[in-house]
Amino acid sequence: MGEETTSLGSIHISPTAVATIAYHATLESYGVVGLAPKNIAEGLAHTITREPTRGVSVNYDGDNVDIEINIVVEYGTRIASVANSVANTVRYHVEKALGLRVNSINVHVAGLRVSDTD
Amino acid sequence: MVVDSPETQKRLEKFRKAPMDGQALKRLVEAGLTWLRTNQQTVNALNVFPVPDGDTGTNMVLTMQSAYNEISELGHRSVDDMAAAISQGALMGARGNSGVILSQLWRGFSRGLQGQEVLDGPGLVKAFAQARDTAYKGVVRPVEGTILTVAKDIAAETEAGLKPEHDAIHVLEMAVKAAAASVERTPELLPVLKQAGVVDSGGMGLHVILEGMLRHIYGQSLDTPVASVQPLSAMDFESAMQEVEEGQDFEVVVDFYPEGELNLQSFYGKLEEMGTSIQVGEGEGMYRMHIHVPLENRYLPIDYVMDIGTITKVAMENLVAQMDEIDQKAKGDYFELTNVEPGQIAVVTVSPGPGLSRIFASLGVAAIVEGGQTMNPSTQEILAAFENLPTDKVIILPNNKNIVMAANQAKEVTVKNVQVVPSRNIPQGLSALLALDPDGDVEAVAEKMNRSLDLVKAGEITVATRSVEIDGVRCEQGEVITLLDGKLVGSAKSVEDACLRMLEKAGAKDLELITMFYGEDLNATEANRISDKVRKAYPDQEIEIQDGGQPHYQFIISVE
């Protein structure tokens, strides 16, 4: 994906690279305490390969990048705002780093973490 | 901060005698909010991306406002109950990243005060520590050099500095000092701040809130951003217009070069004796001063500035006449939205300015939500715009990439059949509207609109609020910058150069129609002059010029 031809050859950007950027951007977003694998199979695969893209999937149809992120949010934060800033942060970082246009970012709140009781 | 005046001392004594209960905390929160609102523009101006993004200051004000709304009517005596209510209010209204963190800080703060009737020194230290702990729990990889670091430094300094004889006011004084120092250090911790030459906006916001509380205790004014100099581009005379007071008939703006170092404290002090709505800006050694004064004082500021420096320019406006003009203009903003019949498709669109709203309305839009780059409407606001329309078929045009999300959320929570056509800018929104068939099938029409989005190129011309380098393009503060389809593509010294540059980048030579929507910063004459230049450069293209009325963007240009 993200193919570009220069005088020296061509540059390919793989969906995994995009996913890695999205993954790190997500973890730096406030309110996110983790990413969740989409399903058991993906969870297992990532445990074995240790690829840093757990909970992020990237789709590329030739023009647009679509990103799905499964997050775990800290209990007690405003979830809509947190999810919103994840989408904004990820979009900003991916577009800045790769110059690719991000078509959509879907943020799924897979769970909440209760780190203490009020 | 000056604390040695006799009045301040007397006020301090009075505060020390009364117990710091829930009601006192309420007044402190109100003061923090007021002071934050006063300095909102200054905080907003610290955003790292060089277009006016509105974010941090506005988001924090909205969050604090929600916290204060929650408690404004409460009669609780204990700080415990009051803090819990503040925390609840902040949570409900948390907007944006900085707002969420602020609400977490309040949550921890309130947890630290559990079981406390009144606020004392050790109690406040504990609350700051809890605020820090709770805030840090909300993120896996805390980024240092942000509001989190400032909260951490406040907690650490107050913990270390606490002495047995200290009361809550002593601790608050320590906290404000620690916050100020911490904010100054943020560029050392976060390279992106250093590159942009600013301090962290969220950290600054937190400092301002605490400082507002302390200013309230000292009895200092919360209405004028005292002794602060902002970048010239951040000066906002429009908002000053909204607070014109009775008897303050003249607006005076003076540009000058001070002789030697300008003593801001005494400068502000003198100006405050003359009038209100004081703002001071600075850019490359040149200072600009703005003030509202009564008729008989209209020459005083000029005489005063003449004593301390060399005046290069003076502008004086009769505010009464100006206000009339604004009222007139507001009347001209009237437009008629399309009435939809049951079963027809209703289009809801987001518009940043009155002129654009009028154009949207003329193209058959059924509802308009005000908003745009600086003020993203919430899901609620979008929902409210179409909930009461008599039809079930709705298409939303967000016209801004930051609003697409809210539009999609509105779709999730309604029972109506809503399609979101993700237009990322005004030209895309207008282009999509041309595909509207109110009696068609809603999915098919949305699909058609989707396809028309990329038929148009969108240019935006605005002024950089600060020097920065992004995507390999360098721009200086105050320069006119050009965005094409949301990307920074160049900077120029004048608006017309920026327009020509943008059109060149967009490949306008090979296209047919150029439509230019001029913003509220330009008048019709100015806009026509620029469009004439464009006409000369592109004789084969058809060029249209429209009053868009949008804030911040001198031009929004559509090329198709």
Side-chain angles (χ1 to χ4, degrees), chain B residues 154-464:
Chain B
I154 291 171
E157 295 278 320
T158 49
E159 236 161 352
L162 181 70
K163 296 211 175 75
E165 71 271 20
H166 278 171
D167 61 13
I169 297 175
H170 288 122
V171 176
L172 186 59
E173 282 170 341
M174 278 195 286
V176 172
K177 221 169 122 190
S182 181
V183 169
E184 284 304 312
R185 281 195 299 270
T186 53
E188 304 304 321
L189 296 168
L190 197 57
V192 63
L193 296 177
K194 195 162 194 168
Q195 197 196 352
V198 293
V199 294
D200 178 64
S201 50
M204 182 67 164
L206 181 58
H207 170 235
V208 168
I209 292 169
L210 293 172
E211 192 182 49
M213 297 179 172
L214 197 55
R215 291 182 69 86
H216 169 68
I217 294 174
Y218 289 162
Q220 290 165 329
S221 139
L222 294 169
D223 308 326
T224 26
V226 166
S228 75
V229 176
Q230 41 192 340
L232 282 183
S233 55
M235 295 181 80
D236 180 11
F237 302 155
E238 284 291 314
S239 71
M241 284 295 286
Q242 285 158 16
E243 16 187 276
V244 174
E245 287 162 37
E246 197 82 9
Q248 307 290 37
D249 300 338
F250 273 83
E251 174 183 61
V252 182
V253 180
V254 184
D255 288 358
F256 65 102
Y257 288 93
E259 273 160 28
E261 197 75 19
L262 182 67
N263 181 343
L264 276 179
Q265 287 291 352
S266 71
F267 186 59
Y268 262 97
K270 260 280 200 283
L271 292 180
E272 266 171 25
E273 289 167 20
M274 299 173 200
T276 57
S277 291
I278 297 158
Q279 291 185 39
V280 178
E282 191 263 346
E284 288 164 12
M286 199 267 285
Y287 281 75
R288 176 169 296 162
M289 174 224 94
H290 167 275
I291 192 170
H292 289 172
V293 289
L295 178 72
E296 64 274 16
N297 278 358
R298 66 191 185 280
Y299 299 119
L300 277 185
I302 305 167
D303 288 342
Y304 169 58
V305 174
M306 196 123 59
D307 289 341
I308 58 169
T310 314
I311 292 179
T312 55
K313 203 170 141 196
V314 174
M316 201 185 279
E317 294 255 20
N318 185 339
L319 286 176
V320 181
Q322 234 178 338
M323 296 303 278
D324 287 350
E325 201 176 297
I326 287 179
D327 286 349
Q328 286 287 327
K329 213 174 148 196
K331 272 181 207 137
D333 291 344
Y334 181 77
F335 50 81
E336 214 156 282
L337 293 165
T338 304
N339 282 320
V340 282
E341 306 284 327
Q344 281 192 320
I345 299 173
V347 178
V348 181
T349 189
V350 181
S351 162
L356 286 167
S357 298
R358 217 169 15 242
I359 297 163
F360 276 123
S362 73
L363 289 172
V365 164
I368 287 176
V369 183
E370 274 180 44
Q373 190 63 33
T374 43
M375 194 56 219
N376 294 350
S378 67
T379 306
Q380 276 305 326
E381 286 166 89
I382 297 175
L383 207 54
F386 67 76
E387 280 278 83
N388 290 328
L389 294 176
T391 177
D392 280 342
K393 299 176 189 165
V394 178
I395 291 178
I396 307 178
L397 295 170
N399 298 338
N400 186 312
K401 65 173 188 203
N402 295 333
I403 304 173
V404 175
M405 183 88 181
N408 278 322
Q409 273 169 357
K411 176 185 171 172
E412 296 296 318
V413 293
T414 180
V415 294
K416 294 194 176 195
N417 181 0
V418 173
Q419 301 289 323
V420 176
V421 176
S423 54
R424 292 153 62 89
N425 46 53
I426 299 294
Q428 285 195 342
L430 292 167
S431 165
L433 265 178
L434 297 179
L436 171 65
D437 168 16
D439 299 310
D441 173 58
V442 64
E443 273 99 11
V445 172
E447 181 50 39
K448 221 167 129 198
M449 286 185 165
N450 257 320
R451 279 201 303 271
S452 64
L453 291 183
D454 290 325
L455 300 179
V456 59
K457 292 199 163 130
E460 287 154 318
I461 311 290
T462 185
V463 173

Side-chain angles (χ1 to χ4, degrees), chain A residues 23-35 64 74-85 87-89 91-92 95-97 99-103 105-107 113-118, chain B residues 48-49 90-97 100-101 103-105 107 110-111 114 130 134-143 148 192 376 379 401-402 404-406 408-409 422 424 428 454 470-471 487:
Chain A
Y23 178 84
H24 287 279
T26 306
L27 277 190
E28 282 183 3
S29 296
Y30 191 85
V32 178
V33 290
L35 283 102
N64 295 316
E74 170 76 9
Y75 172 80
T77 54
R78 193 162 177 242
I79 294 168
S81 295
V82 171
N84 227 319
S85 18
N88 283 334
T89 316
R91 180 187 295 277
Y92 177 74
E95 291 190 346
K96 192 180 80 166
L100 291 173
R101 195 182 129 174
V102 177
N103 180 47
I105 297 181
N106 292 318
V107 181
R113 187 190 71 181
V114 185
S115 52
D116 40 24
T117 45
D118 277 294
Chain B
V48 174
F49 203 64
L91 168 67
M92 300 299 289
R95 277 234 207 181
N97 211 23
V100 174
I101 303 180
S103 75
Q104 278 294 87
L105 286 170
R107 182 155 164 258
S110 107
R111 191 176 296 151
Q114 241 164 44
Q130 274 283 358
T134 307
Y136 267 88
K137 270 184 195 141
V139 63
V140 194
R141 258 181 231 163
V143 183
L148 287 174
V192 63
N376 294 350
T379 306
K401 65 173 188 203
N402 295 333
V404 175
M405 183 88 181
N408 278 322
Q409 273 169 357
R424 292 153 62 89
Q428 285 195 342
D454 290 325
I470 281 179
D471 299 334
K487 271 216 175 68

Side-chain angles (χ1 to χ4, degrees), chain A residues 54-72:
Chain A
R54 203 171 98 118
V56 182
S57 59
V58 173
N59 238 316
Y60 185 57
D61 67 357
D63 282 318
N64 295 316
V65 185
D66 296 277
I67 303 176
E68 299 228 354
I69 306 170
N70 295 277
I71 56 172
V72 179

